[in-house]
Amino acid sequence: MGKNAGCFQGCLHYMFDYETSKTLVIPNLGVGCFFRFSQLLIVLYVVGYVCMVQKAYQETDSAISSVTTKVKGFAFTNTSDTDPRFWDVADYVIPSQGDNSFFVLTNMVITPLQTQSRCPEIPNPSTTCVDDCDCIEGYNDPRGNGIRTGLCENYSTTAQTCQVHSWCPLEIDTKLPEHALLAAAENFTVLIKNTITYPKFNFHRRNIRPHINSSYLRACEYNRATDPDCPIFRLKHVVSEAGEDFQDMAVKGGILGIMIDWSCDLDWWAGKCLPKYSFRRLDSKHPVNNVAPGYNFRFAKYYKNRDGRETRSLIKAYGIRFDVIVFGTAGKFGIVPTIVNMGAALSFLSLLPMVSDWFMLTFMKKRDLYSKWKVTYLDEDAVTGPVSMGTSYGTQ
Amino acid sequence: MGKNAGCFQGCLHYMFDYETSKTLVIPNLGVGCFFRFSQLLIVLYVVGYVCMVQKAYQETDSAISSVTTKVKGFAFTNTSDTDPRFWDVADYVIPSQGDNSFFVLTNMVITPLQTQSRCPEIPNPSTTCVDDCDCIEGYNDPRGNGIRTGLCENYSTTAQTCQVHSWCPLEIDTKLPEHALLAAAENFTVLIKNTITYPKFNFHRRNIRPHINSSYLRACEYNRATDPDCPIFRLKHVVSEAGEDFQDMAVKGGILGIMIDWSCDLDWWAGKCLPKYSFRRLDSKHPVNNVAPGYNFRFAKYYKNRDGRETRSLIKAYGIRFDVIVFGTAGKFGIVPTIVNMGAALSFLSLLPMVSDWFMLTFMKKRDLYSKWKVTYLDEDAVTGPVSMGTSYGTQ
Amino acid sequence: MGKNAGCFQGCLHYMFDYETSKTLVIPNLGVGCFFRFSQLLIVLYVVGYVCMVQKAYQETDSAISSVTTKVKGFAFTNTSDTDPRFWDVADYVIPSQGDNSFFVLTNMVITPLQTQSRCPEIPNPSTTCVDDCDCIEGYNDPRGNGIRTGLCENYSTTAQTCQVHSWCPLEIDTKLPEHALLAAAENFTVLIKNTITYPKFNFHRRNIRPHINSSYLRACEYNRATDPDCPIFRLKHVVSEAGEDFQDMAVKGGILGIMIDWSCDLDWWAGKCLPKYSFRRLDSKHPVNNVAPGYNFRFAKYYKNRDGRETRSLIKAYGIRFDVIVFGTAGKFGIVPTIVNMGAALSFLSLLPMVSDWFMLTFMKKRDLYSKWKVTYLDEDAVTGPVSMGTSYGTQ
């Protein structure tokens, strides 16, 4: 029993005796100041830079977003080539339902009344011919416009070209109007509704702020300085904010990014979380290293003519595609990143004595004295252990 | 040679002598318990919270996803205004090919047989006129429906309005049916196929699980409780899971998010990685601060009439756009985050002696005794160093 | 005044006296080597693995992207079932304007001249009837093709089925051509223009590299080995790179992912940031556990016939949807991750003495000697302080 108690006490002592390092106080202002100053620097770095500037105490999440767009406006075209025509949103927004991007038609080449038939190719070095032998039947020239029938035909009074099976008449897309047909598109407006979610924080937000009322929204127009909350954008303004000229861009088309930045600090002391709009042209407008500059695509409207045959109007549509690009990272206080960042900084604090010791034992005048007091060299022969170290303390 | 050997031995000693701090064991249960308990707390925090709960030992990656949707169902409408009509998927899903979102038409205002022509404006304060002087030719009222021709015309027996060049007859979109035309759309179903990839882990997964067979898939219907694996969703169920009423929503339209959460733990001991579906209305249904509540867009079907003139049917389509939003973060054991998190926690362990010492030397009754044993004050006058400790040094 | 000065000096000493731990040097090569070797390992891990391999000193950001695609090519079909027909991009790319994905039609079932009318159902067990009593008026069979009118009608000379109100004639989609109609689509090419932004680093990049000129781009074709920079892809090549056969895939359709990986190291010493293309089939081609294998959707072209009634051509379109999936993470030197990772590694360095001490005091032959020199046991009775510390140990 006595033995058990002794053993238990031994264990208790082994477990709960507190082992602390013996220290030496050196009354040297130089080393002391160096040490304290370094400590201060590390603490300042942690508090100031890591916490304040980088907000490294925060967990982050990426925004997921849903966008709807609605374009408004109409235009009237009346050029020498075409009939007078009125254009509304169902005509110039293609496809009619945009989600993250919408396309506004600004210029076009229309080839009406195409039917499946045969017609001579558009003249170019590879299509001109002298007689039928130059036109191999069934040949499919990747740069041509159809399948050769094997005949050589008059394209005009001066040129003969191979006949092809295709949608005829062929499109002549070099006749693009030099001034955008729908130049009036610059005054169209678009309403962008955007909802974002940060799933990790269960945070939802709309770009139409709750305090805004309907009547304001009906009349407002986005302006970085005077109306930064309004979700209605005039296309001309969007393009000019991106540093481009609308009329220039409208001729050949292009891609314009409407970026909505939802980067937010969701800690309660951080206040508001608002979208920041910015605008940037996304395609390359430089004619160098640029195949198919601008932005265009072809689509067709299909009709049946009176005898039931299919005809189509082929439209090569030039215009501006507006890509609504929503991004953002939200941060919120999180215990793990806080611990990690503080811990990492603290490990520098615990590295500091090593540096200070090295500094002291290398550069101080009295380094030998300090070394004598600080460092004990174990003498393996003195098996009885260090004799009377404490006396020096007693004299203090 | 003897000198070289001595020098080498000196270097060896300098490099490989082990320098350890001298420690003092204090048989004080209070401080000891405090110290051990704090150690335990830190270890528990690291193991329990950081590792178990937050899984901070994991590297993470975001999902990239590909979605296809296929709607099934048909409806029959027979109201007093319209002819009886049968609707199938080619009629009510616009555009016909949805990827991340699909739109189901539920209500509409059709304006058939529009042609490019002239007609009087719809009466409102800014369009009514008394004579031609009130209508400026070429004026383009942003709230109107066309370009004014300069004439004032009878709209009805009681009202005169300015004539405009537009697609005539004009759309009167106030005549929206109060009950959704395609109320039957609530019974349509949609099959959602979703593939995700975590590129960092080269991990691919489909929402249709491998053990599921075709016959099950042909008959099943998603239900959170009874059929959580089935990728076929009844639209009514989707809307009601989002806390909305389908028939209410169908009248004016709206946006409904089908969120697929692929958050996964990819460590082999973590088991399955399954999609979790949730549903949420994304547009604001509150009539306050809401321009253009609901969701609608206009599109047109173009025809050629008998004499070759273009006519169109303008459809203002109201309906529910279902946005399939796929997100998720996968985690997998990674050596770097493990090291970082453990290291940061360990640095708290190494901070602990500082705190314990301060506690001991400040609050303990015997703090003076402890201090005397622990701390040595260097006496700069005693140039010979600590008495009798140095002897062992001297013999080195 | 003298007292103040003394107090001030006391504070100064309290603040700036440097307190360092007393150390013991043990001339034991074993422990010393173990200690140095461990230090070396940790430093190597930090420098080699964390910095070089994992680049943990970097901040990261995810790419946001904008894509445009333009398909080129044409085909000519001439089968026994259909009229000879020429197909160009406006015919086979649906919808005509793709952004992140584009669909190329390869096979189809066309049901022309459908009108809203009545016709007998396609025979199957649930639609065959003997007399009108078998056909409930208004019944809406989810697997049928229309609303029953209540009549039983001759479908053919041998079969009677219920009459339905629907778009008639009904589609018979079992007659899918066994060889893809637009087999020639394998030679179509697609130009993919991709712009990415890393908003955190204000870094923009295009997949068309600046040094590339127009004439090269007009003629080149992507090939992983010979032409990795060319943004023009032959569809056959894309499909075969994904390990699939184009003609097989073209019959029933499918989804093919074109992944563009923009993972970049933006530090100036890291050199180039280039897109890496890879290709993968995204839908499941295994006929097991696969409802609606392949990829298809239905759309209709609407016409008015001579008497103003609406007719449509219903097309069940099979084809390959190409999803351009852009992803990537950019890294750039950041002070916070550098500090965090170095700090965490350093905390292992500061943990090392604990491990070495434990190793030394447990496994070394002379552990008792080392322990005597290193550890002092406080003797609470010796209130005068540690006289001859070794002796107190001896009495323990």
Side-chain angles (χ1 to χ4, degrees), chain A residues 141-209:
Chain A
D141 180 6
R143 300 201 193 164
N145 293 291
I147 311 288
R148 296 206 177 157
T149 57
L151 299 180
C152 187
E153 216 182 348
N154 288 329
Y155 179 80
S156 61
T157 51
T158 57
Q160 274 198 317
T161 59
C162 292
Q163 195 196 47
V164 287
H165 189 122
S166 184
W167 285 100
C168 290
L170 297 176
E171 182 192 74
I172 303 166
D173 66 356
T174 49
K175 287 199 306 183
L176 180 69
E178 274 173 40
H179 293 284
L181 205 66
L182 266 79
E186 66 179 22
N187 284 320
F188 297 167
T189 57
V190 60
L191 164 67
I192 297 177
K193 292 191 196 174
N194 177 215
T195 312
I196 56 121
T197 301
Y198 288 109
K200 200 191 273 181
F201 307 126
N202 197 26
F203 179 86
H204 311 291
R205 189 58 64 98
R206 292 196 177 85
N207 69 333
I208 302 179
R209 298 176 61 188

XYZ file of all heavy atoms in Angstrom, chain A residues 141-209:
554
model
N -14.491 22.113 -102.195
C -13.410 23.052 -101.862
C -13.706 23.701 -100.513
O -14.719 24.384 -100.364
C -13.331 24.121 -102.975
C -12.241 25.137 -102.705
O -11.482 24.945 -101.739
O -12.160 26.129 -103.462
N -12.820 23.523 -99.513
C -13.118 24.080 -98.186
C -13.309 25.595 -98.192
O -14.005 26.144 -97.348
C -11.886 23.704 -97.355
C -11.162 22.674 -98.120
C -11.549 22.793 -99.556
N -12.687 26.265 -99.156
C -12.876 27.719 -99.212
C -13.992 28.120 -100.165
O -14.244 29.299 -100.364
C -11.571 28.382 -99.672
C -10.455 28.075 -98.716
C -9.371 29.063 -98.845
N -8.206 28.574 -98.141
C -6.997 29.047 -98.303
N -6.792 30.036 -99.162
N -5.987 28.569 -97.613
N -14.618 27.148 -100.801
C -15.701 27.466 -101.718
C -17.026 27.532 -100.983
O -17.068 27.610 -99.757
N -18.091 27.489 -101.736
C -19.409 27.661 -101.145
C -20.351 26.514 -101.425
O -21.544 26.635 -101.160
C -20.033 28.956 -101.668
C -19.290 30.178 -101.183
O -19.334 30.499 -100.014
N -18.569 30.830 -102.087
N -19.831 25.425 -102.008
C -20.753 24.329 -102.277
C -20.043 23.189 -102.967
O -18.819 23.191 -103.105
N -20.859 22.204 -103.365
C -20.325 21.007 -103.999
C -20.343 21.209 -105.507
O -21.391 21.550 -106.070
C -21.202 19.792 -103.643
C -21.460 19.723 -102.145
C -20.598 18.503 -104.183
C -20.293 19.330 -101.315
N -19.218 21.000 -106.163
C -19.164 21.255 -107.604
C -20.003 20.237 -108.363
O -20.010 19.053 -108.039
C -17.718 21.195 -108.087
C -16.916 22.306 -107.448
C -15.743 22.735 -108.254
N -15.123 23.860 -107.538
C -13.862 24.220 -107.682
N -13.079 23.561 -108.543
N -13.374 25.250 -107.028
N -20.682 20.736 -109.390
C -21.515 19.857 -110.204
C -20.768 19.380 -111.431
O -21.227 18.482 -112.142
C -22.770 20.599 -110.672
O -22.343 21.763 -111.398
C -23.631 21.022 -109.510
N -19.624 19.989 -111.727
C -18.838 19.565 -112.886
C -19.035 20.455 -114.104
O -18.421 20.239 -115.147
N -19.879 21.479 -113.944
C -20.088 22.382 -115.075
C -19.327 23.684 -114.871
O -19.087 24.110 -113.740
C -21.579 22.704 -115.225
C -22.503 21.517 -115.502
C -23.941 21.996 -115.621
C -22.063 20.795 -116.775
N -18.963 24.304 -115.986
C -18.354 25.625 -115.950
C -19.370 26.597 -116.526
O -19.927 26.348 -117.603
C -17.054 25.607 -116.779
S -16.093 27.131 -116.652
N -19.630 27.695 -115.805
C -20.762 28.531 -116.148
C -20.346 29.995 -116.161
O -19.369 30.378 -115.513
C -21.857 28.316 -115.084
C -23.253 28.350 -115.621
C -24.265 28.167 -114.491
O -23.837 27.792 -113.368
O -25.448 28.406 -114.694
N -21.115 30.815 -116.880
C -20.858 32.253 -116.847
C -21.311 32.848 -115.522
O -22.487 32.749 -115.172
C -21.608 32.954 -117.980
C -20.983 32.653 -119.317
O -19.782 32.438 -119.418
N -21.819 32.623 -120.350
N -20.368 33.459 -114.759
C -20.773 34.164 -113.549
C -21.242 35.575 -113.926
O -22.248 36.072 -113.439
C -19.606 34.240 -112.569
C -19.931 34.985 -111.296
C -20.633 34.356 -110.281
C -19.532 36.309 -111.129
C -20.936 35.041 -109.129
C -19.845 36.989 -109.971
C -20.542 36.358 -108.965
O -20.852 37.037 -107.824
N -20.448 36.184 -114.802
C -20.836 37.482 -115.349
C -20.411 37.471 -116.804
O -19.999 36.442 -117.329
C -20.130 38.601 -114.582
O -18.734 38.454 -114.718
N -20.500 38.599 -117.440
C -20.116 38.620 -118.848
C -18.614 38.393 -119.006
O -18.161 37.916 -120.044
C -20.482 39.978 -119.498
O -19.948 41.021 -118.674
C -21.974 40.114 -119.629
N -17.842 38.668 -117.962
C -16.382 38.566 -118.098
C -15.801 37.335 -117.419
O -14.675 36.952 -117.709
C -15.705 39.812 -117.485
O -16.120 39.898 -116.115
C -16.119 41.063 -118.212
N -16.530 36.724 -116.489
C -15.928 35.643 -115.702
C -16.734 34.362 -115.817
O -17.969 34.390 -115.809
C -15.830 36.053 -114.236
N -15.999 33.264 -115.914
C -16.622 31.953 -115.863
C -16.165 31.240 -114.599
O -14.970 31.211 -114.300
C -16.204 31.126 -117.087
C -17.070 31.365 -118.310
C -16.893 30.231 -119.308
O -15.775 29.796 -119.530
N -17.980 29.753 -119.897
N -17.094 30.663 -113.871
C -16.699 29.918 -112.668
C -17.425 28.583 -112.641
O -18.402 28.379 -113.373
C -17.063 30.687 -111.378
O -18.473 30.905 -111.361
C -16.326 32.009 -111.275
N -16.898 27.702 -111.785
C -17.511 26.388 -111.646
C -18.886 26.509 -111.014
O -19.096 27.308 -110.092
C -16.635 25.493 -110.757
S -15.083 25.055 -111.510
N -19.794 25.689 -111.476
C -21.121 25.671 -110.886
C -21.101 24.799 -109.627
O -20.420 23.770 -109.591
C -22.106 25.093 -111.905
C -23.554 25.346 -111.545
C -24.482 24.430 -112.341
O -24.243 23.225 -112.438
N -25.526 25.013 -112.910
N -21.812 25.239 -108.597
C -21.896 24.441 -107.381
C -23.344 24.210 -106.984
O -24.232 25.008 -107.317
C -21.174 25.115 -106.188
C -19.666 25.046 -106.341
C -21.649 26.546 -105.980
N -23.548 23.105 -106.289
C -24.847 22.869 -105.655
C -24.760 23.498 -104.266
O -23.882 23.159 -103.489
C -25.104 21.373 -105.557
C -26.487 21.033 -105.117
N -27.339 20.265 -105.867
C -27.182 21.392 -104.022
C -28.489 20.135 -105.237
N -28.414 20.823 -104.106
N -25.666 24.386 -103.961
C -25.574 25.121 -102.693
C -26.907 25.808 -102.423
O -27.903 25.547 -103.094
C -24.443 26.151 -102.814
O -24.260 26.813 -101.593
N -26.906 26.656 -101.373
C -28.018 27.586 -101.201
C -27.750 28.744 -102.155
O -26.792 29.479 -101.958
C -28.085 28.119 -99.778
C -28.617 27.171 -98.747
C -27.888 26.442 -97.884
C -29.984 26.900 -98.446
N -28.707 25.711 -97.063
C -30.014 25.970 -97.385
C -31.206 27.328 -98.979
C -31.201 25.481 -96.847
C -32.379 26.843 -98.429
C -32.381 25.925 -97.372
N -28.551 28.898 -103.184
C -28.314 29.934 -104.172
C -29.409 30.980 -104.100
O -30.548 30.641 -103.809
C -28.289 29.330 -105.572
S -26.834 28.318 -105.831
N -29.157 32.235 -104.389
C -27.863 32.800 -104.765
C -26.867 32.789 -103.599
O -27.289 32.822 -102.442
C -28.224 34.231 -105.158
C -29.461 34.542 -104.384
C -30.213 33.249 -104.320
N -25.592 32.756 -103.904
C -24.560 32.725 -102.874
C -24.448 34.059 -102.140
O -24.734 35.110 -102.716
C -23.209 32.376 -103.499
C -23.107 31.006 -104.158
C -21.753 30.854 -104.812
C -23.347 29.900 -103.155
N -24.017 33.976 -100.911
C -23.797 35.195 -100.128
C -22.531 35.907 -100.606
O -21.516 35.262 -100.858
C -23.632 34.813 -98.661
C -23.436 35.989 -97.734
C -22.980 35.526 -96.356
O -21.804 35.135 -96.225
O -23.782 35.559 -95.439
N -22.630 37.208 -100.775
C -21.434 38.002 -101.105
C -21.166 38.874 -99.893
O -21.736 39.953 -99.737
C -21.674 38.846 -102.376
C -22.071 37.918 -103.535
C -20.416 39.633 -102.729
C -22.657 38.658 -104.714
N -20.319 38.377 -98.999
C -20.226 39.053 -97.704
C -19.188 40.171 -97.701
O -18.851 40.706 -96.656
C -19.976 38.063 -96.563
C -18.639 37.387 -96.656
O -17.930 37.622 -97.651
O -18.299 36.628 -95.744
N -18.690 40.520 -98.856
C -17.775 41.666 -98.907
C -18.545 42.986 -98.923
O -17.966 44.044 -98.733
C -16.892 41.571 -100.153
O -17.724 41.325 -101.292
C -15.890 40.442 -100.026
N -19.848 42.886 -99.138
C -20.656 44.114 -99.234
C -21.167 44.567 -97.871
O -22.319 44.963 -97.721
C -21.838 43.881 -100.181
C -21.453 43.821 -101.656
C -22.669 44.066 -102.538
C -23.801 43.129 -102.215
N -24.958 43.290 -103.104
N -20.314 44.493 -96.860
C -20.742 44.914 -95.523
C -20.841 46.439 -95.458
O -19.900 47.132 -95.854
C -19.714 44.434 -94.491
C -19.994 44.775 -93.034
C -21.175 43.992 -92.531
C -18.772 44.491 -92.189
N -21.968 46.970 -95.002
C -22.078 48.433 -94.916
C -20.948 49.019 -94.066
O -20.573 48.458 -93.039
C -23.431 48.638 -94.226
C -24.212 47.410 -94.525
C -23.214 46.303 -94.614
N -20.405 50.146 -94.524
C -19.285 50.752 -93.814
C -19.721 51.472 -92.544
O -18.938 51.656 -91.623
C -18.556 51.741 -94.729
C -17.504 51.062 -95.590
C -16.928 52.033 -96.595
O -16.704 53.203 -96.211
O -16.722 51.626 -97.743
N -20.961 51.952 -92.566
C -21.527 52.501 -91.337
C -22.527 51.489 -90.821
O -23.320 50.953 -91.605
C -22.200 53.844 -91.599
C -21.212 54.889 -91.985
N -20.389 55.503 -91.077
C -20.879 55.379 -93.195
C -19.599 56.353 -91.705
N -19.870 56.302 -92.997
N -22.459 51.217 -89.530
C -23.329 50.183 -88.980
C -24.780 50.493 -89.308
O -25.229 51.640 -89.177
C -23.131 50.092 -87.473
N -25.492 49.462 -89.725
C -26.880 49.646 -90.115
C -27.723 50.093 -88.921
O -28.511 51.032 -89.024
C -27.401 48.302 -90.657
C -28.559 48.358 -91.624
C -28.149 49.032 -92.910
C -29.053 46.945 -91.916
N -27.543 49.432 -87.804
C -28.295 49.791 -86.603
C -27.429 50.674 -85.696
O -27.217 50.364 -84.530
C -28.752 48.555 -85.838
C -30.164 48.063 -86.186
C -30.140 47.283 -87.483
C -30.759 47.277 -85.073
N -26.973 51.782 -86.261
C -26.175 52.710 -85.476
C -26.949 53.187 -84.254
O -26.371 53.502 -83.209
C -25.765 53.898 -86.336
N -28.274 53.191 -84.382
C -29.119 53.661 -83.284
C -29.035 52.751 -82.064
O -29.502 53.113 -80.983
C -30.564 53.778 -83.748
N -28.421 51.588 -82.224
C -28.335 50.651 -81.096
C -27.588 51.234 -79.917
O -27.713 50.762 -78.791
C -27.669 49.350 -81.546
N -26.792 52.285 -80.158
C -26.042 52.874 -79.055
C -26.949 53.442 -77.986
O -26.544 53.608 -76.845
C -25.066 53.940 -79.567
C -25.734 55.154 -80.167
C -24.718 56.192 -80.645
O -23.564 55.835 -80.895
O -25.107 57.365 -80.768
N -28.191 53.747 -78.346
C -29.109 54.292 -77.359
C -30.004 53.255 -76.718
O -30.854 53.591 -75.909
C -29.950 55.402 -77.988
C -29.139 56.663 -78.149
O -28.361 57.021 -77.268
N -29.288 57.316 -79.295
N -29.825 51.999 -77.086
C -30.590 50.947 -76.419
C -30.107 50.849 -74.967
O -28.964 51.184 -74.652
C -30.398 49.586 -77.095
C -30.896 49.536 -78.506
C -30.553 48.466 -79.332
C -31.694 50.534 -79.042
C -31.004 48.398 -80.637
C -32.138 50.475 -80.353
C -31.790 49.408 -81.143
N -30.998 50.394 -74.114
C -30.588 50.191 -72.722
C -30.781 48.728 -72.369
O -31.566 48.022 -72.997
C -31.426 51.034 -71.748
O -32.802 50.713 -71.938
C -31.205 52.512 -71.953
N -30.053 48.290 -71.348
C -30.231 46.927 -70.890
C -30.362 46.929 -69.370
O -29.634 47.634 -68.668
C -29.067 46.020 -71.350
C -27.728 46.500 -70.829
C -29.294 44.585 -70.931
N -31.344 46.184 -68.914
C -31.531 45.986 -67.479
C -30.882 44.664 -67.115
O -31.202 43.626 -67.703
C -33.025 45.951 -67.160
C -33.443 45.382 -65.804
C -32.967 46.273 -64.677
C -34.957 45.229 -65.731
N -29.944 44.698 -66.184
C -29.277 43.479 -65.757
C -29.700 43.155 -64.332
O -29.507 43.969 -63.425
C -27.742 43.642 -65.828
C -27.318 43.882 -67.276
C -27.033 42.419 -65.261
C -25.833 44.132 -67.446
N -30.330 42.001 -64.165
C -30.666 41.542 -62.810
C -29.711 40.419 -62.466
O -29.566 39.462 -63.217
C -32.095 41.014 -62.762
C -33.179 42.054 -62.957
C -34.513 41.397 -62.613
C -35.693 42.190 -63.137
N -36.964 41.476 -62.929
N -29.099 40.544 -61.331
C -28.075 39.585 -60.945
C -28.278 39.161 -59.486
O -28.451 39.993 -58.611
C -26.693 40.232 -61.146
C -25.552 39.355 -60.711
O -24.557 39.844 -60.202
N -25.677 38.050 -60.883
N -28.341 37.870 -59.276
C -28.439 37.320 -57.922
C -27.190 36.507 -57.653
O -26.797 35.710 -58.503
C -29.633 36.350 -57.829
O -30.758 36.962 -58.405
C -29.920 35.984 -56.393
N -26.576 36.713 -56.523
C -25.423 35.879 -56.197
C -25.642 35.153 -54.869
O -26.448 35.567 -54.034
C -24.109 36.679 -56.092
C -24.255 37.807 -55.073
C -23.644 37.173 -57.433
C -23.272 37.699 -53.983
N -24.931 34.077 -54.728
C -24.989 33.277 -53.513
C -23.572 32.905 -53.116
O -22.776 32.545 -53.980
C -25.797 31.993 -53.774
O -27.094 32.356 -54.190
C -25.882 31.138 -52.524
N -23.269 33.044 -51.843
C -22.066 32.442 -51.298
C -22.514 31.241 -50.479
O -22.936 31.400 -49.336
C -21.293 33.442 -50.446
C -20.601 34.513 -51.250
C -21.038 35.826 -51.244
C -19.514 34.194 -52.047
C -20.402 36.798 -52.005
C -18.880 35.156 -52.805
C -19.328 36.456 -52.774
O -18.698 37.397 -53.524
N -22.473 30.047 -51.069
C -23.112 28.907 -50.382
C -22.505 28.608 -49.017
O -23.220 28.217 -48.100
C -22.921 27.743 -51.361
C -21.929 28.188 -52.371
C -21.918 29.678 -52.372
N -21.196 28.817 -48.842
C -20.570 28.478 -47.569
C -21.119 29.332 -46.438
O -21.209 28.900 -45.297
C -19.057 28.671 -47.679
C -18.256 27.927 -46.631
C -16.801 28.357 -46.612
C -15.951 27.600 -47.584
N -14.529 28.016 -47.537
N -21.486 30.581 -46.763
C -21.980 31.491 -45.729
C -23.500 31.645 -45.778
O -24.062 32.458 -45.053
C -21.326 32.861 -45.899
C -19.824 32.796 -45.951
C -19.127 33.362 -46.996
C -19.118 32.145 -44.956
C -17.746 33.289 -47.052
C -17.735 32.065 -44.999
C -17.047 32.643 -46.054
N -24.154 30.899 -46.690
C -25.594 31.008 -46.883
C -26.007 32.465 -47.072
O -26.943 32.966 -46.459
C -26.339 30.390 -45.693
C -27.792 30.111 -46.028
O -28.140 29.923 -47.195
N -28.632 30.115 -45.021
N -25.292 33.142 -47.936
C -25.477 34.573 -48.141
C -26.005 34.813 -49.552
O -25.409 34.348 -50.519
C -24.122 35.268 -47.953
C -24.157 36.762 -48.154
C -24.491 37.603 -47.110
C -23.836 37.319 -49.386
C -24.508 38.980 -47.288
C -23.859 38.692 -49.569
C -24.196 39.518 -48.514
N -27.139 35.495 -49.656
C -27.731 35.791 -50.956
C -27.824 37.303 -51.124
O -28.119 38.018 -50.172
C -29.129 35.197 -51.060
C -29.192 33.759 -50.656
N -28.615 32.766 -51.396
C -29.743 33.154 -49.581
C -28.801 31.605 -50.804
N -29.478 31.815 -49.681
N -27.630 37.770 -52.333
C -27.708 39.200 -52.541
C -28.116 39.485 -53.986
O -27.766 38.731 -54.890
C -26.341 39.836 -52.226
C -26.291 41.347 -52.182
C -27.223 41.966 -51.176
N -26.978 41.685 -49.790
C -26.321 42.503 -48.952
N -25.858 43.646 -49.388
N -26.178 42.181 -47.684
N -28.875 40.570 -54.189
C -29.248 40.995 -55.541
C -28.560 42.311 -55.870
O -28.240 43.082 -54.979
C -30.751 41.190 -55.644
C -31.516 39.909 -55.541
C -32.947 40.066 -56.016
N -33.570 38.743 -55.946
C -34.114 38.243 -54.848
N -34.157 38.960 -53.751
N -34.631 37.035 -54.846
N -28.344 42.556 -57.170
C -27.721 43.830 -57.516
C -28.711 44.986 -57.444
O -28.304 46.138 -57.495
C -27.039 43.766 -58.893
C -28.026 43.664 -60.033
O -29.124 43.150 -59.852
N -27.649 44.137 -61.193
N -30.015 44.685 -57.338
C -30.997 45.751 -57.114
C -31.179 45.872 -55.614
O -31.689 44.953 -54.972
C -32.333 45.427 -57.814
C -32.080 45.243 -59.308
C -33.349 46.514 -57.544
C -33.319 44.895 -60.101
N -30.723 46.985 -55.053
C -30.676 47.089 -53.604
C -32.066 47.294 -53.025
O -32.938 47.902 -53.653
C -29.749 48.243 -53.204
C -28.331 47.980 -53.688
C -27.441 49.139 -53.387
N -27.360 49.375 -51.956
C -26.760 50.419 -51.420
N -26.187 51.307 -52.206
N -26.718 50.584 -50.115
